[in-house]
Amino acid sequence: MTPSPAMSDAFSRSADVPSLGISATHRLPRQGARPLVFSGTQLAMAMSFTPGLPYWYEITIYRTTDHRFVLGIRLYYVSEEEKDTSDGWIFDTLPEVFDALEAYDAGQDVIADISTTTATMPPVELAARALELRARVAAARHHFAGLVGELFSELDESAEAA
Amino acid sequence: MDAVLRRDGTRPLKLRGLLLFDISRSSGAARSRLRVFATEDERAVVQVIYLPPEILPARPVFRVASAGSAEDVRRFVATVGPEQCFAACPRGGDPVARQDLCEQLRLPTSLPGREPPGVSPPLPIEGTQP
């Protein structure tokens, strides 16, 4: 996670990543809505890429030129057969961004690949599918919660150091 | 001392208090840690950390809970075992290597000496999965 000094003037590591803190036009694809296009600076980013895991999340926080905040959550898959997803939201304040991060349910990102064949499945197999789906939802929530904790921790450490 | 406790899924917990226990385990690049604090408002706060090696399909774990007794601490540590590192990918990796790592990182569920201060009733566990 790399915060920039632009966030409440509290983060001082933008020199590590030159792209942070520089105003630019960003385009954030969203699910079920038009892309979010805005001008602003990237304040912080955290990603959860881990070798051996089939997917990873990327969380990005921006400050727009009109002093609002954008939260972007992207989900990338290792397999090319899966389609990466992206979503974004705009908020008036940073605490609202943090609240949204805490409330985000990564379980909704799990694809329930239930086909029409379930109509003829025996109950035991249906139950097995349900258990598998529940495990995948729990895994996604666990994965995302760890990344959120990492992002908050790094932001807090940067604010303390400033 | 002032402490800032990272926790999964939510903002860090900031507290002022006394560090009662700080127990660590390691295995290669992997680490685990158990800390118990007595806070100024007479609560006990427990933090469990597991840091798996980067070569495994596992994620770090940071959990925090309030405890009313040593039994609460024991129960929390027993609930949040190193297996949680693999919760993001339950079937990933070599199961034998996973089990070995878990045993090496497992934290003690019994604390030596004094008990943390009590609160009644215990506060809910924070940083756990919904």
Side-chain angles (χ1 to χ4, degrees):
Chain A
M1 204 291 302
T2 306
S4 84
M7 180 179 281
S8 303
D9 299 319
F11 310 121
S12 58
R13 292 162 52 189
S14 63
D16 296 343
V17 181
S19 64
L20 292 180
I22 299 172
S23 185
T25 298
H26 301 274
R27 183 179 182 277
L28 203 55
R30 292 187 291 179
Q31 300 192 62
R34 286 172 284 186
L36 197 55
V37 180
F38 58 95
S39 295
T41 55
Q42 180 178 308
L43 300 182
M45 191 274 282
M47 57 96 86
S48 62
F49 178 80
T50 305
L53 294 188
Y55 59 85
W56 73 94
Y57 280 96
E58 183 181 290
I59 301 171
T60 313
I61 300 173
Y62 306 86
R63 182 166 65 184
T64 67
T65 51
D66 62 351
H67 307 297
R68 302 177 79 193
F69 296 91
V70 170
L71 169 64
I73 296 178
R74 297 178 177 88
L75 173 57
Y76 295 100
Y77 291 93
V78 173
S79 170
E80 293 183 357
E81 296 176 1
E82 303 280 356
K83 187 178 180 184
D84 300 337
T85 64
S86 171
D87 219 333
W89 303 267
I90 192 159
F91 300 94
D92 290 331
T93 67
L94 207 49
E96 288 176 335
V97 175
F98 296 162
D99 289 344
L101 265 177
E102 289 178 334
Y104 184 83
D105 182 7
Q108 67 191 354
D109 295 327
V110 174
I111 299 169
D113 48 354
I114 297 174
S115 66
T116 54
T117 59
T118 55
T120 56
M121 274 183 189
V124 170
E125 191 170 344
L126 277 174
R129 290 284 188 98
L131 287 174
E132 184 191 0
L133 180 59
R134 190 173 75 176
R136 289 167 55 209
V137 167
R141 287 173 173 163
H142 174 87
H143 185 137
F144 189 79
L147 183 62
V148 169
E150 177 186 333
L151 178 72
F152 282 139
S153 177
E154 293 284 343
L155 288 174
D156 191 77
E157 288 177 12
S158 300
E160 290 292 326
Chain B
M1 68 174 293
D2 292 326
V4 180
L5 307 186
R6 172 175 163 180
R7 47 187 178 170
D8 292 343
T10 189
R11 284 166 256 209
L13 178 66
K14 298 181 180 180
L15 61 85
R16 174 165 291 177
L18 178 68
L19 179 60
L20 296 180
F21 301 104
D22 189 351
I23 301 167
S24 298
R25 298 275 188 273
S26 65
S27 175
R31 301 277 185 276
S32 60
R33 188 177 189 187
L34 166 64
R35 290 195 290 176
V36 181
F37 297 86
T39 66
E40 279 190 336
D41 56 351
E42 299 187 341
R43 291 183 302 140
V45 174
V46 190
Q47 184 189 40
V48 170
I49 300 172
Y50 297 106
L51 300 173
E54 294 183 356
I55 57 171
L56 287 180
R59 298 285 302 157
V61 169
F62 292 77
R63 299 288 171 80
V64 174
S66 292
S69 65
E71 174 59 20
D72 286 344
V73 176
R74 188 203 66 75
R75 193 181 307 117
F76 179 61
V77 175
T79 301
V80 186
E83 293 83 2
Q84 293 284 313
C85 295
F86 299 97
C89 189
R91 296 178 187 167
D94 174 16
V96 174
R98 287 170 50 155
Q99 187 61 35
D100 287 347
L101 179 69
C102 288
E103 293 311 316
Q104 289 160 353
L105 294 185
R106 197 170 304 284
L107 292 162
T109 55
S110 59
L111 299 175
R114 57 195 166 168
E115 287 200 357
V119 293
S120 183
L123 297 175
I125 292 173
E126 298 174 79
T128 55
Q129 295 304 299

